[in-house]
């Protein structure tokens, strides 16, 4: 079973400047987790304090966190559904879903506590991106229809309320800003995927260069 956790310690790849990380840890007997630092050194887990974030009734995975240490992800509930969660002040809270009986996954949170992710209906035939703010979840667009094998939609939000994770009809990454979607283009017109952005609006990701 996957367990959602948070690391506090040395700065590692994928962590924010507050030296906090989030992720998943699969229980393995006699095996202790190790983390590779930015310098390429393997740091023993004793250099970190690993916090079990709990769950909503079953397995849980964490995907994002902010500088306040608030963590978002998703967890299986006691009813068998998958709900997006936010972990703060030592407690995990379900964010619910956009559609009755559906599921949701939170993938990003900014320092204002605004959360983004995506939600599906019960059959999984309708998938919508959401913004959770001030205790309310609202739809902000469609989930990209085609993604690389085993990839999950990755929505991120910065402190300027800019959101990435969308895709144009041409397969290019898009950014939502001020209520408008902007096509970010691609290197050779063969599509792109945005994976992260900062508070200046700079975006990183990858672009296809061969058909």
């Amino acid at each position: 079973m996957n367990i959602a956790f948070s690391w506090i310690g040395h700065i590692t790849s994928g962590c924010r400047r507050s030296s906090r990380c989030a992720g998943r840890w699969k229980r393995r007997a006699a095996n202790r987790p190790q983390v590779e630092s930015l310098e390429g050194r393997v740091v023993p887990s004793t250099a970190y304090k690993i916090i079990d974030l709990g769950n909503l009734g079953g397995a849980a995975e964490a995907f994002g966190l902010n500088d306040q240490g608030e963590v978002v992800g998703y967890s299986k509930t006691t009813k068998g559904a998958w709900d997006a969660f936010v972990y703060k002040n030592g407690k995990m809270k379900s964010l619910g879903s956009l559609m009755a009986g559906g599921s949701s996954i939170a993938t990003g949170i900014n320092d204002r506590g605004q959360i983004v992710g995506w939600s599906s209906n019960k059959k999984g035939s309708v998938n919508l991106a959401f913004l959770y703010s001030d205790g309310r979840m609202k739809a902000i667009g469609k989930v990209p229809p085609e993604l690389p094998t085993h990839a999950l939609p990755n929505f991120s939000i910065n402190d300027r309320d800019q959101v990435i994770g969308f895709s144009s009809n041409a397969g290019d990454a898009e950014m939502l800003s001020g209520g408008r979607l902007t096509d970010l283009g691609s290197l050779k017109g063969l599509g792109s995927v945005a994976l992260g952005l900062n508070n200046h609006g700079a975006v990183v990701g990858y672009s296809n260069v061969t058909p």
Side-chain angles (χ1 to χ4, degrees):
M1 182 176 78
N2 290 334
I3 302 166
F5 69 86
S6 177
W7 273 311
I8 299 179
H10 297 295
I11 297 176
T12 65
S13 177
C15 302
R16 295 174 66 91
R17 59 182 177 273
S18 58
S19 304
R20 293 186 175 98
C21 303
R24 61 180 176 179
W25 179 24
K26 189 171 286 186
R27 287 193 189 277
R28 293 179 182 175
N31 284 335
R32 303 182 68 183
Q34 292 182 318
V35 183
E36 188 172 344
S37 70
L38 288 174
E39 294 81 14
R41 294 179 294 107
V42 173
V43 183
S45 62
T46 51
Y48 292 83
K49 179 181 179 182
I50 298 181
I51 302 170
D52 186 341
L53 305 183
N55 58 67
L56 299 174
E61 294 188 22
F63 287 109
L65 78 169
N66 61 17
D67 283 346
Q68 281 69 53
E70 298 169 331
V71 182
V72 296
Y74 75 119
S75 174
K76 197 167 188 177
T77 69
T78 53
K79 295 181 180 180
W82 293 92
D83 276 7
F85 72 75
V86 59
Y87 178 92
K88 62 180 180 180
N89 301 323
K91 293 183 180 180
M92 182 180 288
K93 173 188 174 183
S94 170
L95 304 183
S97 62
L98 287 171
M99 294 157 276
S103 59
S104 59
I105 295 177
T107 55
I109 181 171
N110 65 15
D111 288 339
R112 296 167 59 191
Q114 295 173 306
I115 300 166
V116 289
W118 54 286
S119 182
S120 304
N121 64 356
K122 192 172 184 178
K123 293 181 179 180
S125 57
V126 178
N127 300 286
L128 298 173
F130 70 75
L131 169 68
Y132 185 93
S133 182
D134 297 323
R136 248 181 95 235
M137 180 183 287
K138 67 176 183 179
I140 56 173
K142 295 181 179 179
V143 171
E146 295 183 8
L147 289 167
T149 305
H150 305 306
L152 290 173
N154 179 54
F155 291 94
S156 299
I157 184 170
N158 64 14
D159 295 339
R160 296 168 61 184
D161 300 344
Q162 295 172 317
V163 181
I164 59 166
F166 302 97
S167 180
S168 69
N169 292 333
D172 293 343
E174 291 183 313
M175 180 168 67
L176 180 67
S177 181
R180 288 187 171 187
L181 282 170
T182 299
D183 190 324
L184 302 181
S186 60
L187 291 176
K188 292 191 176 182
L190 298 174
S192 58
V193 175
L195 297 175
L197 80 165
N198 63 18
N199 286 328
H200 297 289
V203 180
V204 294
Y206 64 90
S207 179
N208 296 325
V209 293
T210 57

